[in-house]
Amino acid sequence: MHKVLEVSIVLWLASLLCSCASVSVVDTWRNPELRPQRLQKILVVSINNKDAARHVYEDMLASELSRKGVEAIPGYTVIPGAAFADWGVLDRAVRRAQAQAILTVQTTKVERQTSVQPDSAYPGYWYPQGFPTWDFPGYYRSMALYGPTYVTTYDVATMQVNLFDAGTDKLIWAATMQSTDPQKVTTVGQDLARKVVKKLAKEGLI
């Protein structure tokens, strides 16, 4: 019985952990008025006041874009952290880089959520006084399906990804995404980059 319960618990926890760093696409939007040619050069900017996280997101997106033949420039390589909030610095960096578009990513909201896996019915005891006819087979058949209640608390982050045309400053494409356990920046960044670049390729933008 213990072995069955252990396997069930391990499988459930494994599925939970696998989902912890997953990124899902909630919604996307495409500007019907803009039909640019396939973009060859993109500046990637993570709007984040934590330099380490900013570098990870920009590097992941730039790396994934380069696999599609796009020359992608991580923003931190041309925009110093101290000047990050200065629009003039960003604007000059875009012009110097001669980028056709700017791809931005930003976490807009983090919410704490709780998941409850309810237990199976359990009488609280199994002694002969309560179940005089029980033997090992009867006990095993009943208890092999039993599991206690598990309560898991985790964070869900909402992220906004935008692609702007460098020539007109207009929004070309946008996506709203969600990830669980956003503290795992590297894993979330990799998954987000793969999904964003896949969507951009599907739209014919890269």
Side-chain angles (χ1 to χ4, degrees), residues 166-183:
T168 64
D169 292 331
K170 291 183 178 180
L171 183 62
I172 302 172
W173 176 88
T176 300
M177 313 184 84
Q178 284 189 336
S179 80
T180 50
D181 204 358
Q183 292 82 2

mmCIF file with all atom_site columns, all heavy atoms in Angstrom, residues 166-183:
data_model
loop_
_atom_site.group_PDB
_atom_site.id
_atom_site.type_symbol
_atom_site.label_atom_id
_atom_site.label_alt_id
_atom_site.label_comp_id
_atom_site.label_asym_id
_atom_site.label_entity_id
_atom_site.label_seq_id
_atom_site.pdbx_PDB_ins_code
_atom_site.Cartn_x
_atom_site.Cartn_y
_atom_site.Cartn_z
_atom_site.occupancy
_atom_site.B_iso_or_equiv
_atom_site.pdbx_formal_charge
_atom_site.auth_seq_id
_atom_site.auth_comp_id
_atom_site.auth_asym_id
_atom_site.auth_atom_id
_atom_site.pdbx_PDB_model_num
ATOM 1   N N   . ALA A 1 166 ? 10.149 50.403 -35.305 1.00 0.00 ? 166 ALA A N   1
ATOM 2   C CA  . ALA A 1 166 ? 11.105 51.453 -34.947 1.00 0.00 ? 166 ALA A CA  1
ATOM 3   C C   . ALA A 1 166 ? 10.918 52.714 -35.783 1.00 0.00 ? 166 ALA A C   1
ATOM 4   O O   . ALA A 1 166 ? 11.261 53.813 -35.338 1.00 0.00 ? 166 ALA A O   1
ATOM 5   C CB  . ALA A 1 166 ? 12.530 50.929 -35.105 1.00 0.00 ? 166 ALA A CB  1
ATOM 6   N N   . GLY A 1 167 ? 10.378 52.571 -36.964 1.00 0.00 ? 167 GLY A N   1
ATOM 7   C CA  . GLY A 1 167 ? 10.206 53.735 -37.822 1.00 0.00 ? 167 GLY A CA  1
ATOM 8   C C   . GLY A 1 167 ? 9.031  54.597 -37.443 1.00 0.00 ? 167 GLY A C   1
ATOM 9   O O   . GLY A 1 167 ? 9.111  55.833 -37.458 1.00 0.00 ? 167 GLY A O   1
ATOM 10  N N   . THR A 1 168 ? 7.926  53.980 -37.079 1.00 0.00 ? 168 THR A N   1
ATOM 11  C CA  . THR A 1 168 ? 6.703  54.728 -36.763 1.00 0.00 ? 168 THR A CA  1
ATOM 12  C C   . THR A 1 168 ? 6.377  54.748 -35.268 1.00 0.00 ? 168 THR A C   1
ATOM 13  O O   . THR A 1 168 ? 5.489  55.488 -34.841 1.00 0.00 ? 168 THR A O   1
ATOM 14  C CB  . THR A 1 168 ? 5.508  54.109 -37.500 1.00 0.00 ? 168 THR A CB  1
ATOM 15  O OG1 . THR A 1 168 ? 5.291  52.766 -37.007 1.00 0.00 ? 168 THR A OG1 1
ATOM 16  C CG2 . THR A 1 168 ? 5.755  54.051 -38.997 1.00 0.00 ? 168 THR A CG2 1
ATOM 17  N N   . ASP A 1 169 ? 7.060  53.912 -34.487 1.00 0.00 ? 169 ASP A N   1
ATOM 18  C CA  . ASP A 1 169 ? 6.803  53.743 -33.047 1.00 0.00 ? 169 ASP A CA  1
ATOM 19  C C   . ASP A 1 169 ? 5.459  53.077 -32.761 1.00 0.00 ? 169 ASP A C   1
ATOM 20  O O   . ASP A 1 169 ? 5.017  53.014 -31.610 1.00 0.00 ? 169 ASP A O   1
ATOM 21  C CB  . ASP A 1 169 ? 6.870  55.078 -32.285 1.00 0.00 ? 169 ASP A CB  1
ATOM 22  C CG  . ASP A 1 169 ? 8.283  55.643 -32.239 1.00 0.00 ? 169 ASP A CG  1
ATOM 23  O OD1 . ASP A 1 169 ? 9.235  54.842 -32.263 1.00 0.00 ? 169 ASP A OD1 1
ATOM 24  O OD2 . ASP A 1 169 ? 8.439  56.873 -32.186 1.00 0.00 ? 169 ASP A OD2 1
ATOM 25  N N   . LYS A 1 170 ? 4.793  52.583 -33.789 1.00 0.00 ? 170 LYS A N   1
ATOM 26  C CA  . LYS A 1 170 ? 3.491  51.952 -33.599 1.00 0.00 ? 170 LYS A CA  1
ATOM 27  C C   . LYS A 1 170 ? 3.641  50.484 -33.181 1.00 0.00 ? 170 LYS A C   1
ATOM 28  O O   . LYS A 1 170 ? 4.621  49.823 -33.519 1.00 0.00 ? 170 LYS A O   1
ATOM 29  C CB  . LYS A 1 170 ? 2.654  52.053 -34.869 1.00 0.00 ? 170 LYS A CB  1
ATOM 30  C CG  . LYS A 1 170 ? 2.196  53.473 -35.189 1.00 0.00 ? 170 LYS A CG  1
ATOM 31  C CD  . LYS A 1 170 ? 1.301  53.497 -36.415 1.00 0.00 ? 170 LYS A CD  1
ATOM 32  C CE  . LYS A 1 170 ? 0.794  54.911 -36.701 1.00 0.00 ? 170 LYS A CE  1
ATOM 33  N NZ  . LYS A 1 170 ? -0.086 54.941 -37.903 1.00 0.00 ? 170 LYS A NZ  1
ATOM 34  N N   . LEU A 1 171 ? 2.622  50.007 -32.480 1.00 0.00 ? 171 LEU A N   1
ATOM 35  C CA  . LEU A 1 171 ? 2.613  48.617 -32.028 1.00 0.00 ? 171 LEU A CA  1
ATOM 36  C C   . LEU A 1 171 ? 2.252  47.699 -33.192 1.00 0.00 ? 171 LEU A C   1
ATOM 37  O O   . LEU A 1 171 ? 1.220  47.877 -33.845 1.00 0.00 ? 171 LEU A O   1
ATOM 38  C CB  . LEU A 1 171 ? 1.602  48.455 -30.890 1.00 0.00 ? 171 LEU A CB  1
ATOM 39  C CG  . LEU A 1 171 ? 1.503  47.074 -30.236 1.00 0.00 ? 171 LEU A CG  1
ATOM 40  C CD1 . LEU A 1 171 ? 2.821  46.681 -29.579 1.00 0.00 ? 171 LEU A CD1 1
ATOM 41  C CD2 . LEU A 1 171 ? 0.371  47.054 -29.213 1.00 0.00 ? 171 LEU A CD2 1
ATOM 42  N N   . ILE A 1 172 ? 3.099  46.725 -33.453 1.00 0.00 ? 172 ILE A N   1
ATOM 43  C CA  . ILE A 1 172 ? 2.869  45.760 -34.535 1.00 0.00 ? 172 ILE A CA  1
ATOM 44  C C   . ILE A 1 172 ? 2.128  44.534 -34.023 1.00 0.00 ? 172 ILE A C   1
ATOM 45  O O   . ILE A 1 172 ? 1.181  44.055 -34.634 1.00 0.00 ? 172 ILE A O   1
ATOM 46  C CB  . ILE A 1 172 ? 4.204  45.299 -35.163 1.00 0.00 ? 172 ILE A CB  1
ATOM 47  C CG1 . ILE A 1 172 ? 4.997  46.483 -35.695 1.00 0.00 ? 172 ILE A CG1 1
ATOM 48  C CG2 . ILE A 1 172 ? 3.953  44.259 -36.255 1.00 0.00 ? 172 ILE A CG2 1
ATOM 49  C CD1 . ILE A 1 172 ? 6.401  46.104 -36.153 1.00 0.00 ? 172 ILE A CD1 1
ATOM 50  N N   . TRP A 1 173 ? 2.591  44.029 -32.874 1.00 0.00 ? 173 TRP A N   1
ATOM 51  C CA  . TRP A 1 173 ? 2.089  42.751 -32.356 1.00 0.00 ? 173 TRP A CA  1
ATOM 52  C C   . TRP A 1 173 ? 2.225  42.766 -30.836 1.00 0.00 ? 173 TRP A C   1
ATOM 53  O O   . TRP A 1 173 ? 3.123  43.401 -30.284 1.00 0.00 ? 173 TRP A O   1
ATOM 54  C CB  . TRP A 1 173 ? 2.900  41.609 -32.957 1.00 0.00 ? 173 TRP A CB  1
ATOM 55  C CG  . TRP A 1 173 ? 2.580  40.233 -32.466 1.00 0.00 ? 173 TRP A CG  1
ATOM 56  C CD1 . TRP A 1 173 ? 1.630  39.385 -32.965 1.00 0.00 ? 173 TRP A CD1 1
ATOM 57  C CD2 . TRP A 1 173 ? 3.211  39.537 -31.393 1.00 0.00 ? 173 TRP A CD2 1
ATOM 58  N NE1 . TRP A 1 173 ? 1.636  38.197 -32.265 1.00 0.00 ? 173 TRP A NE1 1
ATOM 59  C CE2 . TRP A 1 173 ? 2.607  38.266 -31.291 1.00 0.00 ? 173 TRP A CE2 1
ATOM 60  C CE3 . TRP A 1 173 ? 4.231  39.854 -30.494 1.00 0.00 ? 173 TRP A CE3 1
ATOM 61  C CZ2 . TRP A 1 173 ? 2.981  37.322 -30.339 1.00 0.00 ? 173 TRP A CZ2 1
ATOM 62  C CZ3 . TRP A 1 173 ? 4.618  38.925 -29.544 1.00 0.00 ? 173 TRP A CZ3 1
ATOM 63  C CH2 . TRP A 1 173 ? 3.989  37.673 -29.470 1.00 0.00 ? 173 TRP A CH2 1
ATOM 64  N N   . ALA A 1 174 ? 1.309  42.074 -30.179 1.00 0.00 ? 174 ALA A N   1
ATOM 65  C CA  . ALA A 1 174 ? 1.364  42.017 -28.714 1.00 0.00 ? 174 ALA A CA  1
ATOM 66  C C   . ALA A 1 174 ? 0.866  40.657 -28.225 1.00 0.00 ? 174 ALA A C   1
ATOM 67  O O   . ALA A 1 174 ? 0.071  39.991 -28.898 1.00 0.00 ? 174 ALA A O   1
ATOM 68  C CB  . ALA A 1 174 ? 0.517  43.135 -28.103 1.00 0.00 ? 174 ALA A CB  1
ATOM 69  N N   . ALA A 1 175 ? 1.349  40.274 -27.061 1.00 0.00 ? 175 ALA A N   1
ATOM 70  C CA  . ALA A 1 175 ? 0.913  39.012 -26.453 1.00 0.00 ? 175 ALA A CA  1
ATOM 71  C C   . ALA A 1 175 ? 0.856  39.178 -24.940 1.00 0.00 ? 175 ALA A C   1
ATOM 72  O O   . ALA A 1 175 ? 1.707  39.845 -24.340 1.00 0.00 ? 175 ALA A O   1
ATOM 73  C CB  . ALA A 1 175 ? 1.859  37.869 -26.808 1.00 0.00 ? 175 ALA A CB  1
ATOM 74  N N   . THR A 1 176 ? -0.161 38.583 -24.350 1.00 0.00 ? 176 THR A N   1
ATOM 75  C CA  . THR A 1 176 ? -0.260 38.490 -22.898 1.00 0.00 ? 176 THR A CA  1
ATOM 76  C C   . THR A 1 176 ? 0.047  37.042 -22.529 1.00 0.00 ? 176 THR A C   1
ATOM 77  O O   . THR A 1 176 ? -0.534 36.118 -23.099 1.00 0.00 ? 176 THR A O   1
ATOM 78  C CB  . THR A 1 176 ? -1.667 38.867 -22.404 1.00 0.00 ? 176 THR A CB  1
ATOM 79  O OG1 . THR A 1 176 ? -1.953 40.207 -22.799 1.00 0.00 ? 176 THR A OG1 1
ATOM 80  C CG2 . THR A 1 176 ? -1.751 38.780 -20.880 1.00 0.00 ? 176 THR A CG2 1
ATOM 81  N N   . MET A 1 177 ? 0.960  36.866 -21.579 1.00 0.00 ? 177 MET A N   1
ATOM 82  C CA  . MET A 1 177 ? 1.396  35.532 -21.209 1.00 0.00 ? 177 MET A CA  1
ATOM 83  C C   . MET A 1 177 ? 1.368  35.386 -19.696 1.00 0.00 ? 177 MET A C   1
ATOM 84  O O   . MET A 1 177 ? 1.402  36.371 -18.956 1.00 0.00 ? 177 MET A O   1
ATOM 85  C CB  . MET A 1 177 ? 2.802  35.257 -21.751 1.00 0.00 ? 177 MET A CB  1
ATOM 86  C CG  . MET A 1 177 ? 2.961  35.657 -23.213 1.00 0.00 ? 177 MET A CG  1
ATOM 87  S SD  . MET A 1 177 ? 4.559  35.253 -23.924 1.00 0.00 ? 177 MET A SD  1
ATOM 88  C CE  . MET A 1 177 ? 4.295  33.548 -24.398 1.00 0.00 ? 177 MET A CE  1
ATOM 89  N N   . GLN A 1 178 ? 1.288  34.147 -19.245 1.00 0.00 ? 178 GLN A N   1
ATOM 90  C CA  . GLN A 1 178 ? 1.321  33.872 -17.816 1.00 0.00 ? 178 GLN A CA  1
ATOM 91  C C   . GLN A 1 178 ? 2.336  32.778 -17.524 1.00 0.00 ? 178 GLN A C   1
ATOM 92  O O   . GLN A 1 178 ? 2.529  31.865 -18.334 1.00 0.00 ? 178 GLN A O   1
ATOM 93  C CB  . GLN A 1 178 ? -0.056 33.437 -17.303 1.00 0.00 ? 178 GLN A CB  1
ATOM 94  C CG  . GLN A 1 178 ? -1.048 34.573 -17.147 1.00 0.00 ? 178 GLN A CG  1
ATOM 95  C CD  . GLN A 1 178 ? -2.318 34.148 -16.447 1.00 0.00 ? 178 GLN A CD  1
ATOM 96  O OE1 . GLN A 1 178 ? -2.687 32.978 -16.453 1.00 0.00 ? 178 GLN A OE1 1
ATOM 97  N NE2 . GLN A 1 178 ? -3.010 35.098 -15.838 1.00 0.00 ? 178 GLN A NE2 1
ATOM 98  N N   . SER A 1 179 ? 2.961  32.889 -16.359 1.00 0.00 ? 179 SER A N   1
ATOM 99  C CA  . SER A 1 179 ? 3.887  31.846 -15.933 1.00 0.00 ? 179 SER A CA  1
ATOM 100 C C   . SER A 1 179 ? 3.705  31.597 -14.448 1.00 0.00 ? 179 SER A C   1
ATOM 101 O O   . SER A 1 179 ? 3.365  32.507 -13.685 1.00 0.00 ? 179 SER A O   1
ATOM 102 C CB  . SER A 1 179 ? 5.340  32.228 -16.217 1.00 0.00 ? 179 SER A CB  1
ATOM 103 O OG  . SER A 1 179 ? 5.826  33.105 -15.218 1.00 0.00 ? 179 SER A OG  1
ATOM 104 N N   . THR A 1 180 ? 3.909  30.345 -14.057 1.00 0.00 ? 180 THR A N   1
ATOM 105 C CA  . THR A 1 180 ? 3.889  30.000 -12.649 1.00 0.00 ? 180 THR A CA  1
ATOM 106 C C   . THR A 1 180 ? 5.319  29.943 -12.140 1.00 0.00 ? 180 THR A C   1
ATOM 107 O O   . THR A 1 180 ? 6.241  29.624 -12.884 1.00 0.00 ? 180 THR A O   1
ATOM 108 C CB  . THR A 1 180 ? 3.196  28.644 -12.425 1.00 0.00 ? 180 THR A CB  1
ATOM 109 O OG1 . THR A 1 180 ? 3.765  27.670 -13.311 1.00 0.00 ? 180 THR A OG1 1
ATOM 110 C CG2 . THR A 1 180 ? 1.700  28.749 -12.696 1.00 0.00 ? 180 THR A CG2 1
ATOM 111 N N   . ASP A 1 181 ? 5.472  30.256 -10.878 1.00 0.00 ? 181 ASP A N   1
ATOM 112 C CA  . ASP A 1 181 ? 6.794  30.300 -10.237 1.00 0.00 ? 181 ASP A CA  1
ATOM 113 C C   . ASP A 1 181 ? 7.752  31.209 -10.998 1.00 0.00 ? 181 ASP A C   1
ATOM 114 O O   . ASP A 1 181 ? 8.787  30.776 -11.496 1.00 0.00 ? 181 ASP A O   1
ATOM 115 C CB  . ASP A 1 181 ? 7.373  28.883 -10.133 1.00 0.00 ? 181 ASP A CB  1
ATOM 116 C CG  . ASP A 1 181 ? 8.400  28.778 -9.011  1.00 0.00 ? 181 ASP A CG  1
ATOM 117 O OD1 . ASP A 1 181 ? 8.672  29.809 -8.364  1.00 0.00 ? 181 ASP A OD1 1
ATOM 118 O OD2 . ASP A 1 181 ? 8.928  27.680 -8.785  1.00 0.00 ? 181 ASP A OD2 1
ATOM 119 N N   . PRO A 1 182 ? 7.413  32.496 -11.123 1.00 0.00 ? 182 PRO A N   1
ATOM 120 C CA  . PRO A 1 182 ? 8.244  33.419 -11.902 1.00 0.00 ? 182 PRO A CA  1
ATOM 121 C C   . PRO A 1 182 ? 9.638  33.635 -11.324 1.00 0.00 ? 182 PRO A C   1
ATOM 122 O O   . PRO A 1 182 ? 10.496 34.213 -12.000 1.00 0.00 ? 182 PRO A O   1
ATOM 123 C CB  . PRO A 1 182 ? 7.427  34.714 -11.867 1.00 0.00 ? 182 PRO A CB  1
ATOM 124 C CG  . PRO A 1 182 ? 6.567  34.612 -10.651 1.00 0.00 ? 182 PRO A CG  1
ATOM 125 C CD  . PRO A 1 182 ? 6.236  33.148 -10.534 1.00 0.00 ? 182 PRO A CD  1
ATOM 126 N N   . GLN A 1 183 ? 9.880  33.157 -10.092 1.00 0.00 ? 183 GLN A N   1
ATOM 127 C CA  . GLN A 1 183 ? 11.220 33.295 -9.518  1.00 0.00 ? 183 GLN A CA  1
ATOM 128 C C   . GLN A 1 183 ? 12.258 32.486 -10.297 1.00 0.00 ? 183 GLN A C   1
ATOM 129 O O   . GLN A 1 183 ? 13.449 32.783 -10.257 1.00 0.00 ? 183 GLN A O   1
ATOM 130 C CB  . GLN A 1 183 ? 11.229 32.849 -8.045  1.00 0.00 ? 183 GLN A CB  1
ATOM 131 C CG  . GLN A 1 183 ? 10.450 33.755 -7.104  1.00 0.00 ? 183 GLN A CG  1
ATOM 132 C CD  . GLN A 1 183 ? 8.963  33.456 -7.110  1.00 0.00 ? 183 GLN A CD  1
ATOM 133 O OE1 . GLN A 1 183 ? 8.506  32.530 -7.806  1.00 0.00 ? 183 GLN A OE1 1
ATOM 134 N NE2 . GLN A 1 183 ? 8.194  34.210 -6.349  1.00 0.00 ? 183 GLN A NE2 1
#
